[in-house]
Amino acid sequence: CRVVHAHKPHFMALHCQEFGGKNYEASMSHVDKFVKELLSSDAMKDYNRARVYLDENYKSQEHFTALGSFYFLHESLKNIYQFDFKAKKYKKVTGKEIYSDTLESTPMLEKEKFPQDYFPECKWSRKGFIRTRWCITDCAFDLVNIHLFHDASNLIAWETSPSVYSGIRHKALGYVLDRIIDQRFEKVSYFVFGDFNFRLDAKAVVETLCAKATMQTVRAADTNEVVKLIFRESDNDRKVMLQLEKKLFDYFNQDVFRDNNGTALLEFDRELSVFKDRLYELDISFPPSYPYSEDSSQGKQYMNTRCPAWCDRILMSHSAKELILKSENDEKIVIYDHIGPNVCMGDHKPVFLSFRIAAGAGKPIANVHKCCVVQ
């Protein structure tokens, strides 16, 4: 609410992942109550149109993604249209509508869960994407809510550079980008945002953080499998610097991830570089967005489960850059930042992008001015 009040957006898109939490069978019933309260809340009273898409159908192993996409339109905005993917037409947005359960039958979006064979280690993944298309002031664009695959084991992530998990994310993101620009629909600019699960290059980070350390390998007695790596300072009484297990990344000095927003570690954030010809991102000026402590009194603290990383991002096509109004003076119009730096908001810190669409910016990109003449 504070961010909404500060930026007063006219069109607001909110993308959520893991809706209903880890125990969604028990907690999904709270989601509908939350959504209704949000739509009727005082903070949202000036938004007289809304579209909410919630994938709540957890009984469908084949389709369930636990994604939630919210779109709010301010009363001052005129003539907003949303694309119907089935009819291949734009339709004027009026009123507030909530779609949940089986989103597969909703023509106003495209939704897909990644095939199981993308990430066979995970017995039941919920990773996938939801895509919607909008037209505002003759400017058409896609908004894609995406959730990519996580790192299953720190020890496996550490083995190669780039890691095997990085390769899996690369494949899934490439699949989504190909889908967005395929031949079925007119090409428009697009924004892709959510939990990409991008991680720092684990091998390079550990080698840098522990450059002056010696490594001890701990193996399981029965299988001889490596279960723990311990990095100790060569001198200084062999002080432990880092302990690494499947789900443990315990580095002795968390300040390195927080000081100056973790800028020193951005050089190890390499997963997006593969897509530099297809995706653009504004400069990151916030600390790694994951994994924060879920203890309500530890808003700034990271958990010792994974190496902190910028998992949560807002990326865009190069054509979408042209939609963002460039500042003509010193006023900061485009803002890319995180929300609630001192507040516990779960293990991920949300990020947001605030900008103004340049009038008529979409016209050179596609024949989008036609969109507003259909119903």
Side-chain angles (χ1 to χ4, degrees), residues 251-263:
Y251 187 63
F252 79 106
N253 179 20
Q254 270 203 8
D255 290 342
V256 70
F257 303 109
R258 284 191 292 256
D259 288 350
N260 197 22
N261 292 322
T263 304

Side-chain angles (χ1 to χ4, degrees), residues 116 155 173 233 270 276 314 316:
Q116 182 67 41
L155 294 168
L173 181 53
E233 286 191 32
R270 297 169 179 165
K276 63 179 185 296
I314 299 175
M316 64 193 84

Side-chain angles (χ1 to χ4, degrees), residues 161 199-202 204-205 208-209 256 261-273 284 310 313:
S161 178
R199 304 301 170 100
L200 303 186
D201 186 324
V205 168
T208 302
L209 293 178
V256 70
N261 292 322
T263 304
L265 296 165
L266 272 172
E267 65 172 293
F268 304 112
D269 177 69
R270 297 169 179 165
E271 293 196 36
L272 188 56
S273 61
I284 290 175
W310 287 272
R313 319 279 277 255

Side-chain angles (χ1 to χ4, degrees), residues 202-217:
K203 194 162 188 62
V205 168
V206 170
E207 285 171 357
T208 302
L209 293 178
C210 303
K212 294 178 177 165
T214 53
M215 186 179 83
Q216 174 192 349
T217 304

Side-chain angles (χ1 to χ4, degrees), residues 42-86:
D42 197 46
M44 306 305 291
K45 68 178 187 301
D46 296 333
Y47 295 85
N48 62 348
R49 288 150 293 169
R51 292 293 180 273
V52 178
Y53 304 103
L54 304 171
D55 186 6
E56 298 185 310
N57 188 22
Y58 57 82
K59 289 177 181 160
S60 169
Q61 191 156 343
E62 191 186 346
H63 297 294
F64 182 52
T65 62
L67 293 172
S69 297
F70 296 69
Y71 304 100
F72 302 96
L73 287 68
H74 194 272
E75 60 192 12
S76 63
L77 263 188
K78 305 289 184 255
N79 299 329
I80 305 299
Y81 299 84
Q82 189 185 358
F83 193 64
D84 181 320
F85 287 96
K86 200 168 182 182

